[in-house]
Amino acid sequence: MTEQEPGPPGAATAPHGSAGLTEDVAIPAIPAEDGRALRLADPDAINTTLRTPAQRSRTFAGILVNTALANITTSYLWFALTFWVYLQTRNVIATGVIGGAYMLLIALSSISFGTFVDRYRKLAVMRFAAGFTLAMFVLSGIMFLLTPTAWLLDLAQPWFWVFTLIILAGAVVENMRNIALSTTVTILIEPDRRANANGLVGMVQGLMFIITSVLSGLSVGLLGMGWTIVVALALTALAFAHLLTLRMPEEVRAAASDAHGGFDLRGSLAAVLAISGLFALIVFSTFNNFIGGVYMALMDPYGLEMFPVELWGTYFALGATGFIVGGALIGKFGLGSNPLRTMLIAVIVMGVLGAVFTLREWAWLYIAGIWLYLVLVPFVEAAEQTVIQKVVPLPRQGRVFGFAMAFESAAAPITAFLIAPIAQVWIIPYARSAEGAAQLAPLLGEGTSRGIALVFLIAGIIMIAAALLAFLTPVYRRVSASYVRTGAEAPETADTDSPSGG
């Protein structure tokens, strides 16, 4: 797992670090001057002259494909777990807890993930994450084989929570690879093509949702949970084996970093605050995760009430093609002169979609709403990634991406944990009562899922209001001006050690 490609003659020999990774000797940093961001004195850590841009792009494509396979596998098992639990229990609290726990674990662990990405070479981080995920999925298979199904599905017993946490732990650690992937864009891709590369990442995420939703629904419906775990194990092992064959010689050694320990919260926060307006950018991109928490808790139950599990997976796959369309649009047209404005417009439209796509219990309206929503997700994600890759020095990007993931991921569990019990105990029973159905019918029509539709409507209105208010704030104007100024001042060739302007 620690094997790396050989560096050129004279490269420093790396001592063994912790966690099965290879950490390089730290190189002192130059103190900050005039309040500007820290410049880390390791200009030779990345050598992009070893290969042509085309060769580096092919390596990035290999890493992207490998990450796609790994993400497909972890999402496949996670989606299958959600489908299986709901179909067996018909309890939205269970699905809300699974989704919320996943995002909460990401929020709690992302700063550690970013710290390790900064301290170690990127392929070593990816290999460690792949190996850990494989081990967790093996453990989940053993537990499923040895534990009676009735015990696993009893929310009052510890077996359900242990089984769920084992699968979620494997899926969460896989996200360390996504942070490392964002830094490989900086290492391997020319600055003027990074927005396009981030668009490709969005397309890969869309492909992941398409394949995952189809396979998970069919797998649970036709094979059962046991064989689903077997398939996940085989695909995870395949991705791990392929990852061992990849090489990235441009990363001669891990870039000198001021990261410390395994959870550098202080360093992560300092790296974010060193860039004027970067924290506000992260706050802006968090808006879509509030409504994302509602989707996480209630989208699958709504779909499973409307369709059989096999068809729901297929229809969700159709909606997920929006990811590919969104990524392709970014690759073709970019993000405009002000990515922050593009981001907030996308969030407003997401709120509109969330408010209207369940106003009637019509299959075409639901699928079309999901499709349009997922078209917009890559714009929000790519806008943030492109700005960070441009203004944050590479030795700090891991912690910045990790901090952003932690901050943004924390929004979804809040809404998921809150809304699932509220919907299960109060809103859904009220909407299904004679009085509630009569009161909601003029606005939301008739159907068994009017309670969930009411939640979606309220969440969408809140999203629209929040994004509109953000447009009016002074900080939005300052951040927009700062991005334009930084883009004009920052030399495009300073990939590894240029300080960021503010």
Side-chain angles (χ1 to χ4, degrees):
M1 205 181 303
T2 62
E3 178 188 356
Q4 293 288 323
E5 61 281 357
T13 301
H16 291 291
S18 61
L21 302 176
T22 302
E23 182 178 20
D24 290 286
V25 178
I27 299 178
I30 298 176
E33 297 178 359
D34 301 324
R36 294 176 67 82
L38 187 66
R39 182 192 294 269
L40 297 167
D42 193 10
D44 298 325
I46 306 300
N47 186 352
T48 57
T49 66
L50 298 176
R51 294 187 300 168
T52 66
Q55 290 173 319
R56 284 184 271 125
S57 293
R58 284 195 293 271
T59 297
F60 174 73
I63 294 174
L64 188 62
V65 169
N66 184 271
T67 303
L69 177 59
N71 287 346
I72 286 170
T73 304
T74 54
S75 296
Y76 160 74
L77 188 54
W78 176 48
F79 274 48
L81 175 66
T82 304
F83 293 168
W84 181 66
V85 168
Y86 181 75
L87 290 173
Q88 295 294 324
T89 66
R90 298 288 173 176
N91 191 325
V92 299
I93 294 179
T95 59
V97 167
I98 291 173
Y102 175 77
M103 298 304 294
L104 181 61
L105 288 173
I106 290 178
L108 294 175
S109 59
S110 292
I111 291 177
S112 287
F113 293 168
T115 302
F116 280 108
V117 168
D118 277 347
R119 289 179 57 188
Y120 301 100
R121 299 173 76 180
K122 313 316 174 201
L123 281 180
V125 170
M126 292 182 169
R127 290 166 182 165
F128 170 79
F132 183 90
T133 299
L134 179 60
M136 289 297 100
F137 286 179
V138 168
L139 187 58
S140 71
I142 294 174
M143 184 172 180
F144 185 86
L145 185 64
L146 299 179
T147 308
T149 301
W151 293 8
L152 289 179
L153 292 170
D154 187 351
L155 275 64
Q157 298 295 324
W159 310 113
F160 169 81
W161 305 106
V162 172
F163 180 66
T164 299
L165 285 176
I166 289 173
I167 293 177
L168 291 184
V172 166
V173 170
E174 189 61 41
N175 280 277
M176 189 186 298
R177 291 173 51 122
N178 295 326
I179 297 176
L181 176 65
S182 295
T183 65
T184 64
V185 173
T186 305
I187 296 171
L188 296 173
I189 304 299
E190 297 298 295
D192 60 347
R193 299 293 299 171
R194 287 176 188 162
N196 304 80
N198 290 326
L200 290 176
V201 172
M203 292 178 67
V204 165
Q205 290 176 338
L207 184 64
M208 173 192 73
F209 273 104
I210 293 171
I211 296 175
T212 295
S213 58
V214 172
L215 289 182
S216 297
L218 291 175
S219 187
V220 171
L222 301 177
L223 300 179
M225 192 62 187
W227 281 108
T228 297
I229 295 175
V230 173
V231 172
L233 279 173
L235 294 176
T236 303
L238 177 63
F240 180 57
H242 176 251
L243 188 60
L244 296 177
T245 69
L246 297 177
R247 297 290 182 268
M248 196 168 71
E250 285 74 21
E251 192 178 23
V252 178
R253 57 179 174 268
S257 176
D258 54 348
H260 300 289
F263 187 85
D264 189 12
L265 176 60
R266 179 180 297 179
S268 300
L269 186 59
V272 171
L273 296 180
I275 311 299
S276 177
L278 186 58
F279 183 76
L281 169 65
I282 294 173
V283 171
F284 288 158
S285 63
T286 303
F287 282 148
N288 72 317
N289 284 343
F290 283 106
I291 197 169
V294 177
Y295 284 150
M296 182 183 307
L298 300 178
M299 182 179 286
D300 284 331
Y302 191 95
L304 291 169
E305 289 292 343
M306 186 177 293
F307 310 108
V309 63
E310 298 89 347
L311 287 180
W312 166 234
T314 302
Y315 286 138
F316 188 79
L318 178 63
T321 60
F323 252 128
I324 295 180
V325 173
L329 289 173
I330 296 170
K332 178 67 175 178
F333 301 108
L335 295 167
S337 60
N338 187 347
L340 300 183
R341 180 174 60 238
T342 303
M343 178 188 297
L344 283 180
I345 291 173
V347 171
I348 290 173
V349 179
M350 285 177 176
V352 173
L353 292 171
V356 304
F357 81 144
T358 55
L359 286 181
R360 292 294 183 273
E361 203 167 281
W362 297 336
W364 69 266
L365 179 64
Y366 191 50
I367 302 305
I370 292 173
W371 187 85
L372 291 171
Y373 175 82
L374 294 179
V375 167
L376 297 170
V377 170
F379 284 87
V380 178
E381 300 296 332
E384 180 184 28
Q385 291 171 3
T386 302
V387 172
I388 291 175
Q389 289 158 354
K390 187 179 186 67
V391 303
V392 178
L394 177 63
R396 287 182 160 185
Q397 283 185 16
R399 280 168 294 163
V400 171
F401 280 118
F403 181 88
M405 183 180 290
F407 193 84
E408 294 158 17
S409 298
I414 292 173
T415 49
F417 284 142
L418 285 176
I419 202 61
I422 293 174
Q424 179 73 25
V425 176
W426 289 297
I427 298 178
I428 293 176
Y430 162 75
R432 290 180 176 176
S433 67
E435 178 185 0
Q439 291 177 346
L440 294 177
L443 177 63
L444 301 175
E446 299 177 355
T448 60
S449 300
R450 296 304 83 206
I452 298 177
L454 178 62
V455 175
F456 283 154
L457 174 63
I458 295 172
I461 293 173
I462 292 173
M463 280 288 295
I464 296 168
L468 287 174
L469 288 174
F471 264 123
L472 302 177
T473 60
V475 68
Y476 166 74
R477 294 189 292 272
R478 289 199 302 269
V479 171
S480 298
S482 176
Y483 174 81
V484 173
R485 184 169 61 252
T486 301
E489 294 175 355
E492 292 288 355
T493 56
D495 294 336
T496 62
D497 64 344
S498 63
S500 303

